[in-house]
Amino acid sequence: MSISPPQEKLWWNEPIPKSELIWIIVGFIWGLIMFFMMIYWHAVGEQNLSNEAYRITAEDFAARTNTMIEKYKVRDEAGFPVVHPPPGSDVYLIARLWQWWPILELEKDQSYRLHISSMDWLHGFSLQPVNINLQIHPGYEMVLTAKPDKAGEYGIVCNEFCGIGHHTMVGRMYVIEK
Ligand code: CUA
């Protein structure tokens, strides 16, 4: 029984019962399958992005984001700047308690370097309805090459619990036809 100490002190020298050994092998093989599924899913499915991560301070990231906003802001929406950076450029998205800042407006079929970082806690970037997910850590920027292939309005929800306002941490992204 597991609630009392093992009777044999050197329990790891005891022979392994056959049924237990089978389960260990099954568990090990299943682990290998799941491991290679990650690679398979990257190549075949539309999940597991080729994102990169770099160290960056919140101050540096905020400064780069603000430079982009100052240069390419096209309008305001409910207190949020809407930014239309040129195709091919580096675009920045801040995650913080409890918002995604600013609203990005990208062009369909154009490629961008999308940088996302957190100013405070761990947040989760979840782009809806396409279901692209990234963990956003403070102190690191996630960078990915994004080429939106469908115009429309996308929602960004936070999918890592980040405190009392977590459920209100929703943002927006536009992809427009040019
Ligand atoms: Cu940010 Cu939950």
Side-chain angles (χ1 to χ4, degrees), residues 96-98 100 122-124 158-163 166 169:
R96 64 186 174 207
L97 303 171
W98 286 282
W100 300 96
L122 174 66
H123 297 285
C158 180
N159 62 5
E160 295 282 355
F161 183 71
C162 55
H166 163 69
M169 190 169 167

Side-chain angles (χ1 to χ4, degrees), residues 14-111:
E14 298 296 307
I16 303 172
K18 200 174 168 203
S19 63
E20 196 176 345
L21 195 63
I22 288 168
W23 278 114
I24 289 170
I25 292 166
V26 167
F28 182 72
I29 290 169
W30 183 243
L32 284 178
I33 291 170
M34 295 304 276
F35 177 80
F36 286 107
M37 276 300 282
M38 290 193 291
I39 300 157
Y40 172 79
W41 213 235
H42 171 80
V44 177
E46 292 181 330
Q47 294 289 311
N48 297 0
L49 305 167
S50 314
N51 55 298
E52 303 147 44
Y54 303 100
R55 271 184 184 281
I56 193 165
T57 64
E59 292 73 31
D60 278 352
F61 194 83
R64 286 176 206 187
T65 308
N66 287 331
T67 304
M68 173 197 72
I69 294 172
E70 277 162 29
K71 263 179 155 165
Y72 303 120
K73 185 176 124 169
V74 286
R75 60 182 186 276
D76 272 301
E77 266 183 35
F80 283 74
V82 180
V83 182
H84 188 123
S89 66
D90 289 271
V91 300
Y92 298 88
L93 182 66
I94 283 177
R96 64 186 174 207
L97 303 171
W98 286 282
Q99 54 187 208
W100 300 96
W101 180 273
I103 298 174
L104 295 170
E105 185 181 84
L106 307 179
E107 291 173 27
K108 182 177 169 261
D109 295 327
Q110 298 289 343
S111 184

